[in-house]
Amino acid sequence: MRRAALNLAAVGVLAVSVFPVYWMVITAFKPTVDILTETPAFWPVRPTLDHFATAVRAAGFWTFWRNSLAVTLGAVLLALVVALPAAFAVARLRWPARRGFILMVFVAQTAPWSALLVPVYIIARDADMLDRLPTLTLVYFVTTLPFTIVTLRGFIAAVPPELEEAALMDGCGRAEAFRRVVLPLLAPGLMSTSLFGFITAWNEFAFANALMIKDQGDRTLPIWLSGFANVFGTDWGATMAAATLFMLPVLLVFLVLQRRVSSGMIAGAVKG
């Protein structure tokens, strides 16, 4: 009975979480007359792709799509490049300021984004870095870096040190042992942190709205989606279609990476 109750509760939580996404997707496929009816159906009776055509033909859609993709990929790659050696130093090496560094990383991780919005805006304004995509990339990189360091530190600590010692005994240097032995075993950590960074940067709205205030061509897709309306009011079908298209890259990245996001890859690495 306890197991059945837990399963029932899990199904309820899943239904509550998935239903808004389901309603968004089916609304994108419904004709406008079916969307505005008083008794909307729970599935598209007469499915149409007209709303998707309206969304992709809207002014700025592909420009903002390209901006979001460039900013997101840049932030994720920068975070991985910087966090990997930092996490290795924290997990493997012993140095005087190590505990203080770890504490500062955790403090930075727990800081609310909303509290950083005003200081980041002032710094960007004084440095003449407003309305520039590299600025947004740098902000996303800084905000995702603490989580990336903490996560990769755990994965590196889980790799048995005997593997590196064996490589060192075979004549490899510290860097070569890390590249040939440790790095391949970090694939689950790299994939999971990349997925988190991608979702965080792709969906971020507040910093993009605050730092891109003049040049409309350098805004990202969440900003474009928030203002998707016409002079006659919001086109709900096209808005839901645009939101569905906005969700697709994250879904595709998850489907590609989810097979590798498994910490069991290093199980039995030293067996025998």
Side-chain angles (χ1 to χ4, degrees):
M1 292 296 296
R2 181 181 178 184
R3 191 174 206 177
L6 291 175
N7 290 337
L8 184 61
V11 171
V13 172
L14 178 64
V16 172
S17 303
V18 173
F19 182 76
V21 180
Y22 168 76
W23 197 257
M24 176 189 72
V25 174
I26 67 169
T27 303
F29 287 96
K30 289 182 180 180
T32 302
V33 63
D34 292 344
I35 296 175
L36 301 179
T37 183
E38 294 183 359
T39 56
F42 281 83
W43 56 86
V45 180
R46 296 171 296 173
T48 179
L49 296 177
D50 293 342
H51 299 311
F52 290 93
T54 301
V56 298
R57 292 172 184 170
F61 176 80
W62 293 111
T63 300
F64 296 145
W65 181 286
R66 183 181 66 249
N67 293 344
S68 290
L69 190 61
V71 168
T72 300
L73 292 180
V76 171
L77 292 177
L78 280 175
L80 289 178
V81 169
V82 175
L84 193 56
F88 181 82
V90 171
R92 283 286 191 265
L93 306 180
R94 296 295 180 265
W95 34 287
R98 176 174 170 270
R99 292 183 179 274
F101 177 80
I102 297 175
L103 179 61
M104 291 185 63
V105 170
F106 275 104
V107 170
Q109 174 65 25
T110 57
W113 281 35
S114 56
L116 303 176
L117 185 58
V118 174
V120 168
Y121 174 81
I122 294 175
I123 294 173
R125 182 199 61 190
D126 294 344
D128 194 22
M129 297 177 63
L130 293 176
D131 299 300
R132 297 182 182 180
L133 288 179
T135 303
L136 205 56
T137 303
L138 185 61
V139 170
Y140 293 163
F141 154 68
V142 171
T143 52
T144 57
L145 183 60
F147 174 84
T148 308
I149 294 176
V150 171
T151 304
L152 290 180
R153 170 180 172 266
F155 278 93
I156 293 176
V159 177
E162 292 80 4
L163 294 177
E164 292 180 77
E165 295 173 0
L168 294 174
M169 293 180 62
D170 289 338
C172 292
R174 173 74 69 174
E176 188 177 7
F178 176 79
R179 180 174 60 86
R180 293 190 175 187
V181 178
V182 180
L183 188 59
L185 297 176
L186 293 180
L190 296 175
M191 297 301 175
S192 59
T193 52
S194 298
L195 181 61
F196 170 81
F198 190 93
I199 294 175
T200 302
W202 183 262
N203 292 330
E204 203 284 322
F205 175 84
F207 283 101
N209 190 44
L211 300 179
M212 302 295 174
I213 54 178
K214 295 181 180 179
D215 193 349
Q216 301 293 323
D218 283 341
R219 292 194 166 190
T220 55
L221 207 55
I223 308 302
W224 174 84
L225 187 61
S226 67
F228 193 82
N230 54 38
V231 294
F232 302 104
T234 303
D235 186 346
W236 291 112
T239 301
M240 295 300 103
T244 302
L245 294 174
F246 176 76
M247 179 185 66
L248 284 181
V250 176
L251 182 61
L252 292 176
V253 169
F254 173 77
L255 293 177
V256 171
L257 298 184
Q258 58 92 18
R259 293 183 179 181
R260 292 184 174 270
V261 181
S262 172
S263 59
M265 286 186 65
I266 62 174
V270 294
K271 188 176 181 180

